[in-house]
Amino acid sequence: MRAIPAQTTFTGGEMSPKVYGREDIARYAKGCAELQNFRLQIQGGAYRRPGTRYVAAARDSSEKAQLIPFEFSSSVAYVLCLNNGYMRFFRDEGVLGAPYEIAIPWAEDDLAKLQHAQNADIMYFVHPDYWPRKLTRVSDTTWTLADVDFVDGPYLPDNTTGKTMQPSATTGNITITCSSAYFNAGMAPTGGERGAYIRIKHGATWGYAEITGYTSTTVVSATVISAFGGTSAVTTWAEGAWSSYRGFPRAVSFFEQRLYFGGTSYQPQTIWGSAAPVAAGPVYEDMTPGTANDDAVNYTIASEQLNEIQWLAGRDLLFIGTTSDVYAAGSRTEPLTPTNVRIVPQASRGSSYYQPVRVSNAVLFVTRCARKLRELTYDFNDDSYRAPDLTVLAEHLTVGGFVDLAYASDPDPIVYAVRNDGVLLGCLYDRDQDEVGWWREPIGGDGVVESVAVIPYNVAVSCGESASQVWVVVKRTINGATARYIEFYTPKFDTNGADGLTIEDACFVDSSLVYSGSATTTITGLSHLEGETVQILGNGAELPDATVSSGQITLQESVTKAVVGLGYESKIKTLPGVIPMQNGTSQGRAKSWGRLKVRLHETVGLTINDRALPIRSPLDEMDTALPVYSGLREAQLDGWDEEGQITITQTRPLPATVLALFGVFQVEDL
């Protein structure tokens, strides 16, 4: 039997081998058996992912580094790199200063559990073992990181026992005595973290102090912040909710102009929200308790089992991810206040502690097992939120679990997920077009990705039409030593885009360096790739590979522009071929592509089933740049097998975009 099938889109992405028998699934016609270093575009095609540009080595390559985006405005955005007890700052595709850095309290093993929330030039950080910190931007090279000085709170529930608290004075540095054993050394400053607050009421006056030292289970020293109303022993008091003894919040988010925190080791199901904004603006650090609508919020989720809060995400509601369920706090018609707290479970799906990403009206979060990415989205039919699994057709890609997430909105909506083994995964995610498709992006050389962050392109540096810029930390072995590099992906290759790229600008190598200047045969500045074999694009033409020695390479011919870096393989392998048949299925029958045509866009060279697809014309001069090709090419394929799959590869430092495959497909008659 002969047929002329066509695959006009690849947006189903790489699919699990468990799906190979499911030709009845609509996404089967869009899917691939393998999709590696080809990204999906919303129009349907698959394009070779761009290479990365080397920026700098991490401060200490022996330790992991974590990237965090800091977007001050659409034209001013930074990448923060946390490594070896310091934070460095990157902007405009380079490191700021020489480099400029500030000290941070978090150790290497703490970085993965950091969560953050940003508003304008301030970012709040939380970690379950550290007092919350506030990062403030003053200028490119003036930043401060300090403990948050909260106003009056938050606190544990007011004392209901007969224990009394007695301050030795109403102001200044004092001692506080409890009538029986209560205090713990962890309530005082411990390991560099601040001590707990303690609130005491005399008459109608509440005062509070910060515990500064531990003497015994009945006596602590403290510094008064707001004067006490007396010095008598009273039972009206409350201990601060956060300390090394009680733990610190692990989650943070903004919602309805309040700053919310969630979950400590002592109160794993509690959320705390700052006071409501005043005429002058938000008061994110005012945690004064009370029952008025503008007072701070303090609420503990009631559930039949222990559901530790893992993350918070403010959208139209405040979503709360826990180890067993996802809750929604608030209402679409009334604000969340101390006396109007409505928290309702939405999805019985447990979460891990990795910070989710917010995409339009959805929240994408990693599940408790870290192997699934779920999409929390509103279902109008049920008038509720649901959390479908975005990895259900690609579960084989998530072995080892996720450790970091980021979202890039342009030019294609892509979720990036770092796998535990250092493989970066991409997922085309667009619910408006109902597209979800995954692929793998193994980095060039022996590199593994450890962290990913996304910021907008700075149009003054690379005009990317508001495109997103993806940054990564890559761990490599260079010249026998461990190296950790900060790199970013270059723009999507598009000669018709705002960048006005030409083949000379193409970057399809990793950890790359670009030379542009007078004609030369020597490229220097490559010490970060010492001893590595690199690919070279010189004046838009592929040149022979070279090995970096003493930080440089020698070319066989002079160039005025060169892109040098580590090569990588890009690959598309189609799913087993199936066509409708009157007498059953085509699965299991011998198949052959008699003729295959490929529709390409801005492509220079491909290999199909181990055969080079002819692109160069006999009239083209050798060792010169080829023009990018858009249109149809025919591939001659031989042989019969039971799967009828097509494998497309590109290993040269050149672009490739595959839009469609079609041709004469032959199936054995039985």
Side-chain angles (χ1 to χ4, degrees), residues 76-354:
V76 180
Y78 305 85
V79 170
L80 316 178
C81 181
L82 286 62
N83 170 249
N84 186 235
Y86 287 86
M87 180 185 295
R88 288 182 173 177
F89 304 84
F90 295 81
R91 180 187 170 188
D92 297 346
E93 303 180 354
V95 62
L96 291 176
Y100 174 75
E101 63 185 22
I102 61 174
I104 60 174
W106 310 291
E108 177 185 17
D109 292 340
D110 299 323
L111 300 181
K113 289 189 177 182
L114 274 180
Q115 294 195 23
H116 55 85
Q118 184 193 345
N119 179 266
D121 56 2
I122 292 175
M123 178 176 282
Y124 292 91
F125 289 91
V126 296
H127 186 283
D129 297 328
Y130 294 83
W131 187 272
R133 259 66 170 187
K134 177 172 67 174
L135 177 69
T136 304
R137 169 194 175 271
V138 179
S139 69
D140 273 359
T141 54
T142 305
W143 300 70
T144 61
L145 181 68
D147 295 345
V148 180
D149 284 320
F150 291 103
V151 177
D152 203 8
Y155 296 98
L156 300 179
D158 290 350
N159 174 57
T160 58
T161 72
K163 292 181 186 292
T164 63
M165 291 289 175
Q166 183 176 17
S168 62
T170 58
T171 62
N173 296 320
I174 65 171
T175 60
I176 298 176
T177 303
C178 185
S179 58
S180 60
Y182 182 81
F183 296 118
N184 180 281
M187 296 177 186
T190 305
E193 301 311 304
R194 298 175 67 150
Y197 286 179
I198 188 162
R199 198 172 196 244
I200 304 174
K201 184 180 183 182
H202 290 85
T205 302
W206 280 100
Y208 70 99
E210 181 180 342
I211 296 174
T212 56
Y214 172 81
T215 303
S216 69
T217 58
T218 58
V219 179
V220 293
S221 55
T223 297
V224 178
I225 301 174
S226 180
F228 294 120
T231 58
S232 59
V234 293
T235 59
T236 48
W237 57 270
E239 176 196 340
W242 304 340
S243 64
S244 294
Y245 178 53
R246 302 295 186 185
F248 302 101
R250 69 171 65 237
V252 63
S253 184
F254 290 98
F255 178 64
E256 292 182 340
Q257 296 191 72
R258 298 178 190 250
L259 179 61
Y260 278 87
F261 298 88
T264 64
S265 57
Y266 185 71
Q267 292 181 292
Q269 298 182 181
T270 299
I271 61 170
W272 300 269
S274 62
V278 297
V283 284
Y284 296 134
E285 296 163 25
D286 187 348
M287 308 295 284
T288 304
T291 56
N293 285 342
D294 56 357
D295 287 332
V297 176
N298 186 326
Y299 189 83
T300 300
I301 300 171
S303 64
E304 295 179 352
Q305 59 183 357
L306 180 62
N307 286 339
E308 296 180 353
I309 292 174
Q310 301 293 302
W311 51 261
L312 302 175
R315 303 299 291 180
D316 54 331
L317 302 174
L318 178 64
F319 295 106
I320 307 169
T322 75
T323 49
S324 297
D325 300 279
V326 177
Y327 293 84
S331 164
R332 293 186 181 85
T333 58
E334 296 179 347
L336 188 60
T337 70
T339 56
N340 183 30
V341 181
R342 181 176 182 268
I343 298 183
V344 179
Q346 297 294 325
S348 297
R349 305 295 183 185
S351 300
S352 71
Y353 56 76
Y354 297 110

Side-chain angles (χ1 to χ4, degrees), residues 55-80:
V55 180
R59 187 179 196 273
D60 182 352
S61 284
S62 69
E63 290 194 5
K64 289 183 179 179
Q66 183 76 28
L67 300 183
I68 294 174
F70 189 105
E71 185 176 345
F72 176 70
S73 69
S74 59
S75 60
V76 180
Y78 305 85
V79 170
L80 316 178

Side-chain angles (χ1 to χ4, degrees), residues 402-639:
F402 300 123
V403 296
D404 204 6
L405 292 178
Y407 173 70
S409 58
D410 294 297
D412 299 291
I414 297 173
V415 178
Y416 292 95
V418 179
R419 208 165 62 185
N420 188 54
D421 62 356
V423 173
L424 182 65
L425 302 181
C427 175
L428 180 71
Y429 174 82
D430 190 324
R431 276 305 179 197
D432 292 339
Q433 304 297 326
D434 193 28
E435 298 291 7
V436 176
W438 291 86
W439 64 88
R440 293 169 288 126
E441 293 196 3
I443 207 83
D446 67 346
V448 296
V449 175
E450 294 185 331
S451 182
V452 61
V454 174
I455 61 172
Y457 267 109
N458 185 338
V459 293
V461 177
S462 292
C463 186
E465 294 183 325
S466 300
S468 303
Q469 188 176 57
V470 182
W471 289 64
V472 287
V473 173
V474 183
K475 179 183 177 183
R476 303 183 182 279
T477 301
I478 301 295
N479 206 24
T482 297
R484 282 184 166 90
Y485 294 158
I486 290 83
E487 306 176 15
F488 64 85
Y489 284 91
T490 56
K492 178 181 180 180
F493 184 78
D494 185 356
T495 61
N496 296 314
D499 284 330
L501 297 176
T502 66
I503 189 62
E504 289 81 6
D505 304 308
C507 179
F508 292 95
V509 288
D510 286 337
S511 203
S512 67
L513 177 145
V514 175
Y515 170 80
S516 182
S518 57
T520 184
T521 58
T522 302
I523 307 295
T524 61
L526 293 167
S527 58
H528 70 289
L529 295 178
E530 185 68 25
E532 297 294 308
T533 298
V534 294
Q535 291 186 340
I536 307 143
L537 192 71
N539 292 345
E542 181 186 10
L543 301 182
D545 294 354
T547 300
V548 178
S549 177
S550 299
Q552 64 184 39
I553 57 173
T554 300
L555 309 181
Q556 293 186 2
E557 59 185 81
S558 64
V559 298
T560 57
K561 186 166 188 177
V563 181
V564 182
L566 300 170
Y568 55 88
E569 181 184 52
S570 300
K571 182 178 183 180
I572 301 173
K573 185 175 183 179
T574 62
L575 288 167
V578 293
I579 58 172
M581 301 188 72
Q582 294 181 346
N583 59 343
T585 179
S586 63
Q587 291 200 52
R589 302 190 187 192
K591 305 174 182 68
S592 175
W593 284 94
R595 293 176 62 191
L596 175 69
K597 289 197 174 182
V598 185
R599 183 170 292 281
L600 304 172
H601 178 72
E602 297 192 339
T603 295
V604 183
L606 276 181
T607 298
I608 299 182
N609 284 12
D610 297 326
R611 289 191 175 187
L613 188 67
I615 295 291
R616 182 179 289 275
S617 163
L619 300 178
D620 294 325
E621 295 183 17
M622 299 301 292
D623 297 325
T624 60
L626 286 174
V628 294
Y629 176 80
S630 296
L632 289 173
R633 278 288 187 263
E634 182 171 329
Q636 296 296 326
L637 306 180
D638 296 324

Side-chain angles (χ1 to χ4, degrees), residues 354-383:
Y354 297 110
Q355 193 156 358
V357 293
R358 287 168 280 197
V359 182
S360 186
N361 293 322
V363 176
L364 310 185
F365 65 95
V366 178
T367 59
R368 186 173 179 176
C369 68
R371 281 202 56 183
K372 296 180 183 294
L373 185 67
R374 289 192 175 273
E375 167 197 37
L376 185 67
T377 187
Y378 185 71
D379 187 333
F380 287 94
N381 295 324
D382 296 335
D383 189 24

